[in-house]
Amino acid sequence: MDAATNGIQEPFDLIRLSLSERVFVKLRGDRELTGVLHAYDGHMNLILSDVEETIMIVDQVEGVPEGHTTVNVAKRKMEMLFVRGDGVILVSPPSRA
């Protein structure tokens, strides 16, 4: 399928087509969000609703050789969230089958 027929000619077009749909957002600091995208701007500031945040917490265990860490996962849900664009690494739109 040609990108021009989808209306995707530049990166922000993909974000625009994802409005009112559930997206995956990867943030700095080992954080990930999934939520419904309501708004965005040129700085990648995002407004999301029905958000689930996943935080990866990497702990170095004392007495264990270097490189052996444990990873704990913390999750929380929020009704509405403003995401500042300078923390956004990736925005993945919903799969279009």
Side-chain angles (χ1 to χ4, degrees):
M1 192 177 291
D2 185 56
T5 59
N6 270 342
I8 300 172
Q9 296 178 357
E10 53 186 67
F12 278 117
D13 291 341
L14 190 60
I15 304 298
R16 180 182 46 82
L17 292 172
S18 299
L19 285 170
S20 300
E21 299 202 34
R22 185 162 286 280
V23 295
F24 171 80
V25 181
K26 185 165 179 60
L27 301 171
R28 292 183 190 179
D30 296 322
R31 293 174 184 259
E32 299 174 349
L33 304 170
T34 56
V36 178
L37 179 65
H38 289 280
Y40 69 96
D41 65 13
H43 299 287
M44 284 306 295
N45 295 319
L46 308 173
I47 302 289
L48 301 171
S49 69
D50 190 24
V51 182
E52 181 175 73
E53 178 182 27
T54 304
I55 306 167
M56 306 292 191
I57 303 164
V58 180
D59 292 323
Q60 176 65 41
V61 181
E62 289 184 30
V64 176
E66 282 290 320
H68 289 61
T69 59
T70 60
V71 178
N72 295 312
V73 177
K75 291 190 178 204
R76 67 179 177 164
K77 294 188 180 203
M78 292 157 280
E79 206 172 294
M80 189 69 73
L81 185 67
F82 171 85
V83 180
R84 186 175 161 144
D86 66 349
V88 174
I89 295 172
L90 173 139
V91 177
S92 177
S95 62
R96 304 194 192 283

